[in-house]
Amino acid sequence: MVTAAQQQTASAPDTDLAFPEGFLWGTATASYQIEGAAAEDGRTPSIWDTYARTPGRVRNGDTGDIATDHYHRWREDVALMAELGIGAYRFSLAWPRIQPTGRGPAVQKGLDFYRRLVDELLDKGIQPVATLYHWDLPQELEDAGGWPERATAERFAEYAALAADALGDRVKTWTTLNEPWCSAFLGYGSGVHAPGRTDPVAALRAAHHLNLAHGLAVQVLRDRIPADARCSVTLNVHHVRPRTDSGADADAARRIDALANRVFTGPMLNGAYPEDLFKDTAALTDWSFVRDGDLARIHQPLDFLGVNYYSPTLVSQADGSGTHTSDGHGNSAHSPWPAADGVAFHQPPGDTTAMGWAVDPTGLYELLQRLAADFPRLPLVITENGAAFHDYADPEGNVNDPERIAYLRGHLAAVHQAVQDGVDVRGYFLWSLLDNFEWAHGYSKRFGIVYVDYPTGTRIPKASARWYAQVARTGVLPGA
């Protein structure tokens, strides 16, 4: 049943909606997607460099070698944020730029880039929010086994210490991992993300060692950053809906919820893996890679949970009308859902973005309500939300993107409704500041509120940038 509140979030608000005082407005990016400078100042290949350079992996053979050239144009990008009145900037540190082999001392030139970036953000009154890992694992660590191996989590803790020691006096908000589900299940299960492996057991092992890496990193951060600094993790929490009210479809949703969400929220936030996950995957693994003491290491107090949301997930018991390849995460002969062959994925109804993802703000509202019920004392921050559309610059050099404005208005209305209904949401980060390298899609999808002309690197704020700037400055979502 759709409630009145959900109906309100399904369309643009008729009247202005004011967000609470102190609500944080930001934008977000990721290092491999924007930095470029792939071989400068000591940086060595990450798994995404290797993956993108492998023929057939990325559309048009695109790579992040140059990306949006943020490594050289960061002052321009910070100035753009300042002009737009953005209050916070969520960016990721490139592990192979700081610690090229994933071991040993830091490369100071790599750290200096982030020191300069953070200083410039602070000078412009923009709060830096640093993510330690947004998928660019040093290739040498993948060659040694990657995330399926426990040693990678231990190396991650050492890397976290280097970052905290260099930037902890400036950065007051830290995120350990971005979307570990993608790292584990798209990277090691379906192979549509780097490193491109297709082993369901390796995917489950990777999920556990990413959980462990998170816990170890939080411990390291707490030891090195000021007491008033904040620690978090960002999860792409799937809002899973059964296609019908049948028990079979409800069980399909339960299975996917375990693999998509509770595999991470269980150990990170409750200190235990869900028993149904163990039962569902028992034919694949006995989970003996979970060692004594791991769950205590993973279960660390957090200051908030970062939530990434784009579209809901619609599932049923498999009946021949859908397959795992229609789950919105890219086509592959291999499933990112271990031991879930009996689940079918379906395209949700309604309008879609250029990614083919359904536009459904009610999913965000329902997701926030669920997280508030499951973790009532944990504040939430929307760390990614946005959409790709077929943007282009007109002859006058303007980029009009009314579809994106409508998308943002609807989803911000959903956030506002959740706040009004008592959900503790502290901020919203729009994905993304810039058009950029969109992983296996290369440069074919544009998520930015700033248009990037890739041949020249020229930045052009889209109509959505001006619209979002007004919302960020005033804290008021205008009515339609």
Side-chain angles (χ1 to χ4, degrees), residues 72-242:
H72 300 112
R73 305 182 71 144
W74 57 273
R75 288 187 189 275
E76 178 183 354
D77 293 336
V78 174
L80 261 176
M81 283 185 273
E83 178 189 342
L84 295 172
I86 301 301
Y89 176 49
R90 177 176 174 259
F91 62 98
S92 72
L93 309 177
W95 190 350
R97 194 177 296 287
I98 291 173
Q99 196 184 35
T101 66
R103 301 178 179 84
V107 172
Q108 290 306 310
K109 285 186 177 181
L111 285 175
D112 285 345
F113 168 70
Y114 296 109
R115 290 186 179 107
R116 292 191 298 269
L117 173 63
V118 168
D119 286 346
E120 187 75 6
L121 290 166
L122 293 172
D123 184 64
K124 294 295 191 294
I126 301 169
Q127 181 182 141
V129 178
T131 298
L132 287 170
Y133 186 72
H134 199 132
W135 307 351
D136 42 3
L137 182 73
Q139 182 61 45
E140 286 200 23
L141 291 186
E142 172 60 23
D143 293 342
W147 285 114
E149 298 303 318
R150 185 181 192 87
T152 305
E154 296 166 347
R155 300 291 80 73
F156 184 72
E158 295 165 3
Y159 155 64
L162 297 175
D165 289 346
L167 300 170
D169 61 335
R170 303 170 175 89
V171 175
K172 301 303 181 185
T173 304
W174 292 83
T175 298
T176 54
L177 307 173
N178 178 82
E179 298 186 354
W181 184 86
C182 295
S183 297
F185 295 100
L186 300 184
Y188 294 92
S190 66
V192 300
H193 276 197
R197 289 160 64 178
T198 54
D199 179 346
V201 176
L204 293 169
R205 290 176 59 93
H208 175 65
H209 294 128
L210 283 155
N211 281 329
L212 181 60
H214 157 77
L216 295 175
V218 172
Q219 291 179 311
V220 166
L221 290 169
R222 295 291 190 199
D223 285 343
R224 285 169 163 79
I225 61 179
D228 62 345
R230 296 171 294 277
C231 290
S232 67
V233 67
T234 282
L235 304 178
N236 55 318
V237 187
H238 291 59
H239 182 57
V240 186
R241 291 170 171 159

Side-chain angles (χ1 to χ4, degrees), residues 251 253-259 262-263 273-282 287:
D251 190 63
R254 177 201 60 76
R255 294 177 73 94
I256 298 306
D257 182 63
L259 286 167
R262 290 180 286 122
V263 66
Y273 282 103
E275 287 299 322
D276 61 325
L277 174 68
F278 288 161
K279 292 178 182 177
D280 291 344
T281 58
W287 290 78

Side-chain angles (χ1 to χ4, degrees), residues 44-64:
T44 56
S46 72
I47 55 175
W48 265 100
D49 292 278
T50 302
Y51 187 86
R53 293 168 188 166
T54 302
R57 291 294 201 180
V58 175
R59 184 174 298 186
N60 301 322
D62 293 339
T63 74

